[in-house]
Amino acid sequence: MAILYVLISPSKMNENKPGASQNLACVFCRKNDDCPNKYGEKKTNEKWNITVHYYCLLMSSGIWQRGKEEEGVYGFLIEDIRKEVNRASKLKCSICKKTGASIGCVAPRCKRSYHFPCGLQRECIFQFTGNFASFCWKHRPVQIITSNNYRDSMPCTICLEFIEPIPSYSILRSPCCKNAWFHRDCLQVQAINAGVFFFRCTICNNSDIFQKEMLRMGIHIPEKDASWELEENAYQELLQHYEHCDVRRCRCKEGRDYNEPDSKWEIKRCQCCGSSGTHLACSSLRSWEQNWECLECRGILYNSEDFQKAKKHSLPNTNNVGITDCLLEESSPKLPRQSPGAQHKDLLRQGSKYRRDISTIIMELGFQIKKKTKRLWINKANIWNSALDGFRNQNFNPSHTIEVAYVNENDNFGREHPGSKQEFLCLLMQHLENSPVFEGSLSKNLSLNSRALEENLYYEAGKILAISLVHGGPSPGFFSKTLFNCLVYGPENTQPILDDVSDFDVAQMIIRVNTATNVADLNSVVNECYNYLELIGCLRIITSLSDKYRLAEDILVYHVIKRVQAPFESFKQGLKTLGVLEKIQTYPEAFYSIFCHKPENLSAKVLSDLFTVCTLSDVQALGFWNNYLQAVEDGKSAITMEDLLIFATGCNSIPPAGFKPTPSIECLHMDFPIGNKCNNCLALPITNTYQEFQENMDFAIRNTLRLEKEESSHYFGH
């Protein structure tokens, strides 16, 4: 365990140039990431060519700080660092299986070693106090609560997002306030910003008990002043009074900024937010002592549940509205001045909107997408391989906007046609669902395919899934609950079920074990499957009939989870692209709905609301369109709702983030409909009768989709 006598101040940590160590790998974890919040400050000693993360160095088990602050790296001597690196080179990480694991679990008889980043990933706990102890995932300290009376979700008192009030690695409870719950990440960010002098319970402001518990649970509290205290003139705006009249009609001839104390032209600030004001005369206030709220705060307060319950009389009716209400009807444009009260006002307004839905989360992920475009040349007859070629290209950046161009390898002229990105992602997801990377019928798990492992297809599958979601692709919808739980909670915390076993022989073996009625029958099954059970490490001596439950569970866990450990880790790495896996683990309930369930069936109303009318030269055609939607829903048409959506957009369901651009319809003087998938536009034919309209729609859509399916049959066959 590394014993540190003096915690280094941040100003001393950055003695080198800011970019000096950016591209150099830490000698302990061998990562070149520069993320102070996760790994501590990164520093390079140019003289000895040694780069370290502060936390990697601090938590290493075999090194002590023997020098002064300015000696070596953070007071650790160069010769000691080299000895520790040499010691760690003989230790294999229990998580990534690579050498260089310099940190060991301090629990007695535990021999697990790991790198600092690997420990974070596996949810180990590092205590930045005392002897700087480290605990593996099996022996880490936990918060024990005698009784849990919380049935509903509660907000994290820092970010205000709702969480389940159950102590875990990522969810912590305040030791001094029973109703204060936090995300670990929120606590860590606040601790780094607040420092040891200002880090305290957000509810009761307790410092001693709170910090002691947070240090025990692995929160790093640096010995520094708060970041806001170090900012020059950080609170300057608090010393300034807001002096501006914001009512709709200011009656002061001297202007809205005129303020004369002890007169009718004195400015009164909103008692709730303090960021809006009015002259006393402009709001018919007789004295400065009278209460006054601005328009926005009044709306929030009067519409709140507490106000509705508390009030005994109804608000004045329209016949009794005074001059104050008229003047407050609308605020005038204000100069861009903001006080802390404005932020409080936003929180009041958004108080009931903290629960996240999947479309909002994916839209937030989409903010990473830059305007710079990357064109992918896609062969529809071999969409999977051409997509892989594009994504594996060294110039491909997943955060760039994707453009799709369809090409035909049999076209000697090399012509290309603009393609729909969402159609491409939809076809890609269909192939992924039926690829050898997954196994199972409806709810799928990862398979064990040696060729896919060799070609790194599990990583590519995870990467493609992440890219598809962020770039507006469809829901996967085919994950088993077991696979999803492995991604969110880890394989070690997931219990598979018999339905997860796609191999008929293995499933029958488990059934026979479970249905054995005596020890003789159970031993008979074990003897028949002796070689297989020995191979997978599940062979056990049967002493009683109750052993069958443990044996069946061992076979199940091996086949569904342990057998595919390598594919799972590779797939998980790919899913980290664009931060998707992190969001899945943060909002599992939201992502479960699109990973494990197919979208709801389309209806006439859904499609009617989905398509906007751009130009409609014939009102009759709009009536035909609505009648046609109803006929398709009722099964009176040769096509389905999904066919109609594919014809217009290339997708058979509505993506979680919606369509971009919004699907639209227009009416043109022609015989048959035309679907423009690049613009999500459906051109409807103008006909004399509805029967002719339906026949033309059915004929065009049915035959267009049939031809497209025939063109892609070679691809689906492979």
Side-chain angles (χ1 to χ4, degrees), residues 452-522:
L453 266 176
E454 183 180 342
E455 297 179 0
N456 204 25
L457 292 184
Y458 292 99
Y459 171 82
E460 298 295 345
K463 178 181 176 181
I464 286 172
L465 232 168
I467 291 173
S468 175
L469 278 177
V470 179
H471 284 267
S475 309
F478 57 83
F479 277 40
S480 71
K481 185 176 181 180
T482 298
L483 175 55
F484 184 79
N485 285 343
C486 284
L487 290 170
V488 176
Y489 308 110
E492 69 279 3
N493 298 318
T494 301
Q495 181 60 49
I497 60 175
L498 185 60
D499 289 343
D500 292 319
V501 181
S502 59
D503 187 303
F504 178 78
D505 294 332
V506 175
Q508 287 300 308
M509 183 196 310
I510 296 173
I511 292 173
R512 289 183 62 192
V513 169
N514 273 325
T515 56
T517 56
N518 53 59
V519 174
D521 287 345
L522 188 55

Side-chain angles (χ1 to χ4, degrees), residues 344-465:
H344 176 67
K345 187 186 298 183
D346 289 337
L347 290 178
L348 282 172
R349 189 180 299 112
Q350 299 169 8
S352 61
K353 300 181 181 178
Y354 293 122
R355 294 189 179 274
R356 313 298 303 281
D357 59 45
I358 188 63
S359 60
T360 304
I361 297 170
I362 292 180
M363 286 174 66
E364 288 177 359
L365 283 169
F367 292 154
Q368 305 173 74
I369 306 303
K370 302 178 177 64
K371 291 183 179 180
K372 185 176 181 180
T373 60
K374 172 62 180 176
R375 174 165 292 193
L376 298 178
W377 285 272
I378 303 299
N379 180 5
K380 265 194 174 182
N382 195 358
I383 199 167
W384 175 253
N385 287 330
S386 54
L388 278 182
D389 290 341
F391 291 145
R392 285 173 170 171
N393 188 300
Q394 61 180 0
N395 294 323
F396 177 77
N397 187 330
S399 64
H400 289 170
T401 299
I402 294 176
E403 282 187 356
V404 175
Y406 289 130
V407 295
N408 189 337
E409 59 185 11
N410 298 321
D411 188 348
N412 296 327
F413 297 99
R415 286 170 293 193
E416 59 184 54
H417 307 281
S420 162
K421 178 179 69 175
Q422 287 182 309
E423 178 192 31
F424 159 66
L425 294 175
C426 189
L427 293 174
L428 201 55
M429 195 59 62
Q430 290 174 18
H431 176 88
L432 192 61
E433 181 176 357
N434 298 292
S435 72
V437 170
F438 295 96
E439 63 182 19
S441 53
L442 297 177
S443 297
K444 296 180 181 289
N445 289 290
L446 290 173
S447 66
L448 179 61
N449 187 296
S450 58
R451 183 176 178 183
L453 266 176
E454 183 180 342
E455 297 179 0
N456 204 25
L457 292 184
Y458 292 99
Y459 171 82
E460 298 295 345
K463 178 181 176 181
I464 286 172
L465 232 168

Side-chain angles (χ1 to χ4, degrees), residues 521-627:
D521 287 345
L522 188 55
N523 274 316
S524 175
V525 177
V526 171
N527 290 332
E528 287 182 31
C529 307
Y530 185 92
N531 292 335
Y532 176 75
L533 293 176
E534 184 180 35
L535 178 66
I536 66 176
C538 294
L539 189 63
R540 59 173 54 243
I541 298 175
I542 303 300
T543 58
S544 66
L545 187 60
S546 61
D547 290 338
K548 70 179 184 179
Y549 302 112
R550 183 65 184 273
L551 177 59
E553 182 182 342
D554 287 348
I555 299 171
L556 191 59
V557 169
Y558 169 79
H559 186 82
V560 179
I561 293 179
K562 292 183 178 180
R563 181 177 65 99
V564 295
Q565 184 177 357
F568 175 77
E569 291 300 327
S570 183
F571 179 75
K572 194 168 74 168
Q573 289 300 316
L575 203 55
K576 289 182 179 179
T577 304
L578 295 172
V580 170
L581 179 61
E582 184 179 352
K583 285 291 186 183
I584 292 173
Q585 293 171 339
T586 305
Y587 306 104
E589 290 184 4
F591 279 93
Y592 179 78
S593 63
I594 66 169
F595 271 77
C596 301
H597 295 287
K598 291 292 185 182
E600 295 182 2
N601 292 332
L602 298 172
S603 64
K605 185 179 187 311
V606 168
L607 286 192
S608 178
D609 294 340
L610 179 66
F611 285 86
T612 60
V613 181
C614 290
T615 57
L616 190 64
S617 55
D618 192 333
V619 177
Q620 180 177 260
L622 181 59
F624 288 169
W625 163 249
N626 290 326
N627 291 339

